[in-house]
Amino acid sequence: MDFEHIKNLDDAYGAEVFSRFPVAFVGGRGATLTDTEGKEYIDFGSGIAVNVFGACDEAWKNAVKEQLDKIQHVSNYYYCEPQAKLSELLCARTGARRVFFANSGAEANECALKAARKYSFEKYGAGRAKIVSLNGSFHGRTLFTVTATGQEVFHKYFDPFVPEVVSADANIEAIRRAAGDTACAVIIECVQGESGVKTLDKNFIKSLETFCKERDVLLICDEVQSGNGRTGTLYSYEQFGISPDIVTTAKGLGGGLPIGACLFFRKTEHTLKAGDHGSTFGGNPVCCAGAVNVIERLDENFLLEVRAKGDYMRTKLRAIDGVKAVTGLGLMIGLEVNGNSKDIAKKCLEKGLLVLTAHERVRIVPPLNITKREMDEGLTIFREVLRHETST
């Protein structure tokens, strides 16, 4: 099917919720994608931090195919080997005690927020249900998670929202005022992806942990985008020296298949019981088989390479005219640039490079196994686009 046919079908029948770039991808290998016309592109977006091993990775494909040859779905009324194995891996790597599997980051966060309210209700009774999030955060598109998202642009049209959910600036006094005496949880992203890849201050995060522990307020770390090796550690909170009570993740966990996870640590491991929460597709065996392959391969040697690649790209990006600031950790990079970020993304696409945007910033989240050649080729295109933007 050629591009125009695909576009016409989507325009006629697809929900009008996406502003798509004028391209359809049909294949690729690693961080190089191919469109319907055979043109190749360097991928600095990896499906919004999803394809951690890029396109068509052989080991990941074989793990998925092997499971497909067995059974594609099992109801959660029954046990499932890949799900059990993935739970064990995640707990062993993080110190978590139990895992609930969902289909997305929003669902993982929904589970975390529900669990926080149940934890507080069982321990303290009604009236202690407030959720505090941070301004600039993004936690999902369900009503509960969009309420917790600290960006007004996502709130338009959808009120009334879930009550007792507030957002505050990332300083401890603002958190103290917002929490009052009725907070049950604070949810944070150590690196805020959707507001421009902004890393929170380490001193603030440590102070927040102390604040939460003193008041028995649960600390939830949203690792949907920053997790699964993206920042150079398995989860970004590890780089801040904290011990959260709940961790959520998705995106890169499945390597390209839809899966989310909510990890419960010691304080919260027994909070949810049978009937409190659930999911038909959560923990799907095929998705879990893909995720097992991802987690098993994200060992310390691989994560060292991610950190080195991140350092390499940041050094190169800082030297490009038109780049005003570089933020983020590992291969989760935000750029403050001269010019309009969306225009820059369009011009990069025309020249064969995929980048993402986050408001006024350019966002770079390539496959974690991107090669030096692919990095250099993409950086050359980005430099050319910025040079043109700076000169006009």
Side-chain angles (χ1 to χ4, degrees):
M1 192 180 296
D2 63 24
F3 171 71
E4 287 302 320
H5 193 177
I6 295 169
K7 181 180 182 302
N8 289 339
L9 286 175
D10 189 79
D11 289 347
Y13 302 109
E16 299 171 321
V17 296
F18 300 111
S19 296
R20 302 190 195 274
F21 288 100
V23 63
F25 294 107
V26 296
R29 179 75 61 176
T32 302
L33 302 183
T34 306
D35 71 10
T36 49
E37 313 306 313
K39 180 179 176 179
E40 291 188 339
Y41 301 75
I42 300 299
D43 183 10
F44 276 9
S46 62
I48 315 182
V50 168
N51 298 329
V52 290
F53 299 134
C56 225
D57 178 81
E58 287 298 327
W60 180 85
K61 279 197 307 180
N62 288 338
V64 171
K65 287 178 179 178
E66 184 178 338
Q67 181 58 45
L68 278 171
D69 285 337
K70 297 176 181 177
I71 192 169
Q72 77 275 21
H73 175 74
V74 177
S75 163
N76 280 309
Y77 283 124
Y78 313 106
Y79 292 97
C80 169
E81 180 183 351
Q83 185 182 133
K85 187 172 183 181
L86 181 57
S87 298
E88 179 189 32
L89 279 171
L90 288 170
C91 289
R93 292 290 298 273
T94 65
R97 298 301 188 92
R98 297 184 183 277
V99 184
F100 173 82
F101 291 113
N103 308 296
S104 67
E107 290 184 31
N109 283 332
E110 187 90 11
C111 176
L113 298 176
K114 287 176 66 177
R117 285 189 166 174
K118 181 169 188 249
Y119 171 89
S120 186
F121 185 90
E122 288 190 322
K123 196 166 183 180
Y124 301 100
R128 192 179 182 274
K130 186 184 291 182
I131 305 291
V132 181
S133 67
L134 298 184
N135 290 328
S137 63
F138 182 86
H139 298 296
R141 302 277 189 171
T142 67
L143 193 58
F144 203 166
T145 58
V146 82
T147 305
T149 291
Q151 299 186 58
E152 285 301 316
V153 66
F154 295 105
H155 292 173
K156 189 176 180 181
Y157 307 123
F158 302 120
D159 60 318
F161 295 105
V162 177
E164 291 297 299
V165 181
V166 298
S167 296
D169 289 338
N171 68 74
I172 201 64
E173 288 307 315
I175 295 294
R176 195 185 308 276
R177 289 192 299 271
D181 297 322
T182 60
C184 66
V186 179
I187 182 169
I188 66 169
E189 303 155 283
C190 293
V191 187
Q192 294 182 326
E194 297 300 324
S195 61
V197 192
K198 298 176 181 179
T199 305
L200 298 184
D201 178 75
K202 186 172 184 178
N203 291 329
F204 161 70
I205 291 180
K206 290 293 290 182
S207 296
L208 177 63
E209 180 188 40
T210 299
F211 171 86
C212 290
K213 288 186 184 303
E214 289 174 348
R215 290 158 180 79
D216 196 20
V217 171
L218 299 184
L219 179 58
I220 303 170
C221 283
D222 176 342
E223 296 275 356
V224 170
Q225 186 169 160
S226 56
N228 308 300
R230 173 58 52 192
T231 62
T233 48
L234 188 61
Y235 296 109
S236 69
Y237 74 83
E238 299 171 47
Q239 300 180 46
F240 294 82
I242 60 171
S243 299
D245 300 301
I246 300 176
V247 171
T248 61
T249 192
K251 287 194 182 291
L253 178 60
L257 292 175
I259 184 172
C262 186
L263 283 62
F264 297 101
F265 290 73
R266 183 186 296 273
K267 187 183 285 189
T268 57
E269 66 171 309
H270 299 302
T271 298
L272 295 182
K273 300 296 185 182
D276 287 338
H277 198 53
S279 173
T280 296
F281 291 105
N284 170 270
V286 178
C287 297
C288 285
V292 166
N293 180 263
V294 168
I295 297 299
E296 285 183 335
R297 293 165 65 185
L298 295 179
D299 59 20
E300 186 53 35
N301 288 333
F302 187 92
L303 294 171
L304 280 170
E305 291 180 9
V306 172
R307 296 198 286 276
K309 289 173 183 178
D311 290 343
Y312 178 81
M313 290 195 74
R314 269 188 287 277
T315 299
K316 294 288 187 180
L317 286 162
R318 288 191 183 102
I320 295 176
D321 290 339
V323 173
K324 295 159 41 176
V326 182
T327 59
L329 295 173
L331 285 174
M332 186 175 179
I333 301 171
L335 304 174
E336 185 181 347
V337 294
N338 290 331
N340 181 280
S341 61
K342 289 183 172 54
D343 289 341
I344 289 168
K346 290 176 184 176
K347 290 171 182 176
C348 285
L349 180 73
E350 292 169 2
K351 292 182 176 293
L353 173 66
L354 308 181
V355 298
L356 306 174
T357 61
H359 296 298
E360 76 284 358
R361 292 185 170 215
V362 172
R363 185 170 28 153
I364 292 176
V365 284
L368 303 184
N369 60 347
I370 188 171
T371 65
K372 185 175 183 297
R373 178 194 66 77
E374 290 168 323
M375 286 191 288
D376 288 342
E377 188 174 335
L379 289 165
T380 297
I381 294 171
F382 191 71
R383 185 180 298 108
E384 292 173 358
V385 170
L386 263 290
R387 183 186 299 124
H388 181 268
E389 286 294 301
T390 303
S391 64
T392 54

